[in-house]
Amino acid sequence: MNMDSDLQIAGDILEVPHLLQPERAHPVTVAEFAGLARSIADDRSQWAPYVEYDATTRWYHRLRTGPGYEVWLLSWVPGQGSGLHDHGVSSGVLTVLEGELTERTDRGVRTLGGGAQRVFAPGYVHEVVNDSLEPAVSLHVYFPGLTEMPMHESVQAQCAPTAHGVVLA
């Protein structure tokens, strides 16, 4: 190996502050938001005390806010779902903390087990459902903070049966 052609750092890199990125107080990139979700997921003490289950509706609790973002904790009993929706102008990170959730999109169905993470852009249309027989818990980071959640008609709801088969409504 020819050491003359390898990049080497001479001296103390900390003495070159203009090459170092300052530590941010809050996330600003997609990777940093995914990292925030992962760090909260890895520390049960930050979310487990707040989990509740409600048999009549999905339960949710806002865990944290920061400049331009929100972190939500959701619980899902078997059979509960979000309905087909998007998040308006917000991007997001969905992280499954416990259990298993099913995500449905126009591209297909995906099972998300504990630890799975999904990052989505504004306008991304999906439905999240607990199709399992056990409760599930998920963490959602939205940036900017969630201000709208437009609902969409599912493909099944757009189809109406007739005597001759199925027609689009």
Side-chain angles (χ1 to χ4, degrees):
M1 181 163 124
N2 183 350
M3 294 299 283
D4 292 332
S5 65
D6 293 337
L7 176 63
Q8 296 180 10
I9 298 173
D12 185 358
I13 189 65
L14 298 178
E15 293 298 321
V16 191
H18 64 281
L19 296 178
L20 301 174
Q21 295 261 343
E23 187 174 326
R24 297 187 229 266
H26 298 282
V28 295
T29 67
V30 171
E32 289 171 345
F33 282 109
L36 170 65
R38 179 70 56 214
S39 70
I40 294 170
D42 290 345
D43 183 358
R44 288 183 61 85
S45 69
Q46 291 189 52
W47 57 269
Y50 303 103
V51 174
E52 294 182 28
Y53 296 100
D54 186 331
T56 60
T57 186
R58 280 182 304 135
W59 175 90
Y60 53 91
H61 172 78
R62 188 164 62 185
L63 276 180
R64 182 184 300 181
T65 61
Y69 70 92
E70 296 178 317
V71 180
W72 289 87
L73 182 68
L74 279 73
S75 68
W76 315 69
V77 298
Q80 287 180 336
S82 65
L84 193 63
H85 68 282
D86 70 64
H87 303 94
V89 299
S90 298
S91 296
V93 179
L94 160 65
T95 305
V96 178
L97 302 176
E98 289 183 345
E100 184 178 279
L101 294 171
T102 302
E103 180 187 40
R104 296 186 180 108
T105 69
D106 61 351
R107 294 185 176 192
V109 177
R110 178 185 316 255
T111 300
L112 305 171
Q117 241 181 355
R118 296 281 290 149
V119 175
F120 52 86
Y124 177 70
V125 178
H126 70 158
E127 178 180 32
V128 180
V129 179
N130 181 353
D131 283 333
S132 76
L133 298 176
E134 299 294 327
V137 180
S138 58
L139 185 77
H140 304 249
V141 180
Y142 299 108
F143 48 98
L146 194 61
T147 58
E148 59 180 323
M149 194 172 116
M151 301 305 290
H152 297 261
E153 230 178 277
S154 70
V155 174
Q156 291 90 357
Q158 294 174 8
C159 297
T162 68
H164 302 291
V166 176
V167 292
L168 291 178

